[in-house]
Amino acid sequence: MNAARISVVWWTRILVGALVLLACVVVYSSNALLTERFTERTRGGAEVRLALYSANLLSELQRNSIVPQLLARDPALIGALNSGDFTQSTARLLSFVDEIGAASLLLMDTDGRVVAATDRERLGENRRHQRSFVEALRSNITTFTVDDRNEGGFDFTYSRRIEDGGLGIGVVSVGVDLAKLERSWAGISDAVMVLDSTGRAILATEPRWRGRTEEEAVALLEPQSAIERALRGTPDWSALPIDAYLRGDGVMRQEVRVPFQGWRVVSFTTFQSVRERVNSILALEIMGFAILLAGLFWFLSRRSNLAARMFQRESAELRQLNNRLQREIAERQKVEKDLEVAEQTVAQTSKLAALGEMSAAVSHELNQPLAAMKTYLAGARLLISRERPDEAVVAVARIDGLIERMGAITKQLKSYARKGADSLEPVDVKEAVLSSLSMMEPQLRQRQVAISRTLPDRPVMIFGDRMRLEQVIINLLRNALDATKMTTDPRIDILLAQGNVVRLTVRDNGTGIDELDELFEPFYTTKQPGDGTGLGLAISSGIVNDFGGRLTGRNAVGGGAVFEVELPILNADTEAAE
């Protein structure tokens, strides 16, 4: 039953995964194909519109280029310039405006003074320095100039010299109204600009583009940052051939040359129509796959309902079995509590039974201070015989300290008869090492062992008992001394380091350890009978465990033995927990 259920689940997952994968492939392929097709249509439409823009611009320029030639031959204007009577000249120019469709008409004498104009506010202006006037007066053909306006934008002017008898008597100017083309282009979705031969925008649907190059104009409407551009351009889909960015949207750039003074017309077409068409079809495809997936889920849910009815019969039996298991668990927990109490009683009984063994341990531990006292007494006698009482007093003081230590060692026997341990306090491991070396100084001098010690500058604090910690260190040093008896160049290295834990390492170059598995077992020793009881490492391991650490031993690579004591560092959390 379980195997069949698992098989159905896996087949369901495979079917759903295959359907989702098929949907992704279809949507991706459709996006690429439809985007390419609709983009080509949009590009074709943009090219047609751009050709129309260019044709309209060229037609407007050609239509106005004939007007100056006709006005230059008008008898009324020639007569007014010869006689100096311009009372009817303005009315004459106004009669041509509606027929020609020009922006403005100006009549100027040879000094550049405007003597007649369709815009009466310009009467009396002096335009002798205007490029349109100067070029027309110097040429015998119609000239075309583009001048900047003070209020922004450009004036497009056709100018021609008026002659009478071969002499120039004035200039007539026709302003071309190209702004109406801008207004007609602005109503279309394309952004259009007309660039002159220098690349400057002289006509543009965006007023801020006028007078700027194409690069400068496009940069004005780019988003403030690349992130903003990315966020705004996300709907563009990666398949779109984006030529530039306007207002953060990707656009298609089209360009056509106008056969007039090197002018070019550039248009920027958005992909909005492409996105709308592609997205609408993709939405239909996704909706179809969603309906198919919903139908699959409905079919699977029907099968799940049938299976659920079968499982309901088993659920009642499972509930009864669960109730029985809960009763058995409660009974087992009660038995475990009774067993825990019994184990505590057995542990305490074992401690009391180990008192006999601890008596032998005490005799082992007392041998060290007794040997040191014997050495200090011999030194004190020698110092007194040499009449050096001050140094003898120091030796006696050390003997007094050893006596106190012997009393503390015998006092430790009481801790094995109690369930709780003695109170612990902050201890500086560095000071304990130095004190232990001082206590072992007579034995070290007698053996002439090279001691290498590496200690940190700062105190290394743990939570423990200093007397018992010194007992561990002295025992490790004593074992190292005994292990190097047969070595020609005995050496002991002591390293104290503080990291995540406090690590004290004692290494010797002695004979090493034969049985690592039995190293910390009680009464295991490699010494000769009478030299040791085999309880030193067992007691030291128990002391380190009481401090929350561990004592390990191994053979060194180059020979000898290495013992490491790892203890937790004293901090605020450790002290609060203790």
Side-chain angles (χ1 to χ4, degrees):
M1 179 66 72
N2 292 332
R5 189 179 306 167
I6 294 174
S7 177
V8 171
V9 171
W10 275 107
W11 275 109
T12 301
R13 293 179 179 178
I14 293 173
L15 184 59
V16 172
L19 185 60
V20 173
L21 180 61
L22 177 62
C24 294
V25 172
V26 171
V27 171
Y28 179 81
S29 303
S30 300
N31 174 56
L33 295 176
L34 294 174
T35 298
E36 182 179 358
R37 179 180 300 176
F38 291 138
T39 299
E40 290 301 323
R41 291 183 182 179
T42 304
R43 189 183 301 276
E47 292 177 353
V48 172
R49 288 193 298 273
L50 192 60
L52 182 61
Y53 299 155
S54 175
N56 292 340
L57 178 62
L58 186 61
S59 175
E60 186 69 19
L61 291 172
Q62 291 176 349
R63 186 171 62 84
N64 285 274
S65 64
I66 304 174
V67 177
Q69 186 176 358
L70 297 176
L71 294 179
R73 298 176 181 178
D74 186 67
L77 298 180
I78 296 175
L81 289 173
N82 288 327
S83 63
D85 183 10
F86 304 104
T87 55
Q88 300 298 325
S89 299
T90 298
R92 181 66 176 171
L93 294 179
L94 289 172
S95 64
F96 292 116
V97 171
D98 296 334
E99 298 179 6
I100 298 173
S104 63
L105 298 176
L106 296 177
L107 180 65
M108 295 167 283
D109 58 14
T110 55
D111 295 330
R113 185 171 60 90
V114 178
V115 294
T118 55
D119 185 2
R120 298 181 183 274
E121 294 181 357
R122 294 189 176 184
L123 290 175
E125 290 183 0
N126 195 316
R127 303 172 65 89
R128 64 182 301 174
H129 298 295
Q130 290 285 340
R131 190 162 63 93
S132 59
F133 174 78
V134 174
E135 292 181 359
L137 194 62
R138 293 177 180 178
S139 177
N140 57 358
I141 61 174
T142 303
T143 62
F144 181 80
T145 57
V146 180
D147 298 319
D148 294 330
R149 294 179 184 173
N150 295 331
E151 64 274 11
F154 298 92
D155 286 327
F156 304 94
T157 307
Y158 278 109
S159 302
R160 188 179 181 90
R161 185 177 62 184
I162 300 177
E163 297 180 351
D164 186 20
L167 297 177
I169 59 176
V171 173
V172 62
S173 296
V174 178
V176 182
D177 187 12
L178 298 182
K180 62 183 179 181
L181 297 179
E182 284 184 330
R183 292 189 293 271
S184 64
W185 297 341
I188 305 174
S189 60
D190 298 347
V192 184
M193 65 169 61
V194 178
L195 306 177
D196 61 10
S197 59
T198 63
R200 182 181 59 167
I202 55 178
L203 292 174
T205 55
E206 296 288 342
R208 297 175 61 189
W209 287 359
R210 298 190 190 108
R212 303 180 185 272
T213 63
E214 181 181 351
E215 292 77 10
E216 294 173 349
V218 173
L220 288 175
L221 296 177
E222 285 188 349
Q224 297 297 322
S225 63
I227 296 177
E228 184 178 355
R229 176 193 295 180
L231 293 176
R232 295 183 182 180
T234 299
D236 287 350
W237 294 80
S238 59
L240 294 175
I242 297 173
D243 298 326
Y245 282 93
L246 294 178
R247 302 186 184 92
D249 293 330
V251 294
M252 179 192 305
R253 181 184 180 278
Q254 298 287 334
E255 177 182 335
V256 66
R257 293 190 175 274
V258 181
F260 182 80
Q261 294 190 359
W263 285 14
R264 294 174 296 152
V265 181
V266 179
S267 68
F268 298 97
T269 306
T270 64
F271 290 96
Q272 183 177 1
S273 60
V274 176
R275 289 197 302 268
E276 290 177 352
R277 295 177 183 177
V278 173
N279 291 347
S280 61
I281 297 177
L282 294 181
L284 292 176
E285 292 180 353
I286 294 173
M287 185 180 299
F289 280 108
I291 294 173
L292 183 60
L293 190 61
L296 177 61
F297 285 150
W298 177 82
F299 176 74
L300 295 177
S301 65
R302 293 277 296 177
R303 295 193 58 179
S304 300
N305 291 333
L306 294 176
R309 294 175 183 176
M310 296 176 62
F311 296 150
Q312 286 178 356
R313 301 175 182 177
E314 301 178 2
S315 62
E317 298 178 359
L318 291 176
R319 283 195 295 269
Q320 295 177 0
L321 180 60
N322 185 30
N323 294 332
R324 290 198 299 269
L325 288 176
Q326 288 181 354
R327 289 194 296 269
E328 292 180 3
I329 291 172
E331 294 175 358
R332 186 179 295 273
Q333 289 176 348
K334 181 179 179 182
V335 172
E336 288 178 353
K337 290 181 180 179
D338 296 340
L339 180 59
E340 184 179 354
V341 174
E343 288 178 350
Q344 292 177 355
T345 304
V346 171
Q348 182 64 16
T349 304
S350 299
K351 282 188 176 182
L352 294 175
L355 281 175
E357 298 178 1
M358 294 303 105
S359 299
V362 170
S363 65
H364 172 271
E365 297 297 333
L366 292 179
N367 284 335
Q368 297 175 4
L370 286 173
M373 289 170 61
K374 184 178 180 180
T375 304
Y376 285 137
L377 285 173
R381 291 193 191 99
L382 182 60
L383 291 173
I384 292 173
S385 64
R386 293 182 181 180
E387 297 182 354
R388 293 162 63 182
D390 295 337
E391 296 181 11
V393 170
V394 174
V396 172
R398 291 184 177 179
I399 293 173
D400 182 62
L402 290 174
I403 293 173
E404 291 181 357
R405 178 172 181 80
M406 293 171 63
I409 291 173
T410 58
K411 184 181 178 181
Q412 290 179 6
L413 282 174
K414 298 178 181 180
S415 64
Y416 293 96
R418 295 194 303 267
K419 291 187 178 180
D422 293 338
S423 61
L424 304 180
E425 60 185 2
V427 177
D428 185 1
V429 181
K430 177 182 175 183
E431 291 295 332
V433 173
L434 295 175
S435 177
S436 301
L437 287 173
S438 176
M439 191 175 301
M440 291 291 295
E441 184 178 356
Q443 291 90 329
L444 297 175
R445 286 182 180 178
Q446 183 179 1
R447 286 288 312 280
Q448 295 182 354
V449 179
I451 302 295
S452 172
R453 59 182 184 181
T454 304
L455 306 177
D457 298 333
R458 299 179 179 178
V460 180
M461 305 301 295
I462 66 166
F463 209 74
D465 182 85
R466 177 168 177 173
M467 188 70 66
R468 299 170 68 189
L469 179 61
E470 290 178 359
Q471 178 182 350
V472 174
I473 299 172
I474 291 174
N475 186 68
L476 294 179
L477 294 174
R478 181 73 176 271
N479 290 342
L481 280 174
D482 295 338
T484 56
K485 284 183 179 181
M486 306 302 295
T487 305
T488 57
D489 186 16
R491 179 181 180 85
I492 299 176
D493 297 327
I494 302 173
L495 172 63
L496 178 61
Q498 178 177 355
N500 295 329
V501 295
V502 176
R503 181 175 288 105
L504 174 62
T505 305
V506 179
R507 175 176 179 174
D508 62 70
N509 59 348
T511 58
I513 305 170
D514 295 333
E515 300 292 338
L516 289 174
D517 296 336
E518 301 178 359
L519 184 61
F520 297 104
E521 294 295 331
F523 304 105
Y524 170 77
T525 179
T526 59
K527 300 177 183 179
Q528 297 297 325
D531 291 341
T533 61
L535 294 172
L537 289 177
I539 295 174
S540 299
S541 179
I543 293 174
V544 174
N545 290 335
D546 291 342
F547 294 165
R550 65 172 182 171
L551 173 61
T552 58
R554 67 179 187 276
N555 288 319
V557 177
V562 178
F563 287 90
E564 287 186 351
V565 178
E566 292 185 0
L567 296 169
I569 298 175
L570 175 64
N571 50 39
D573 296 337
T574 304
E575 190 170 359
E578 292 295 342

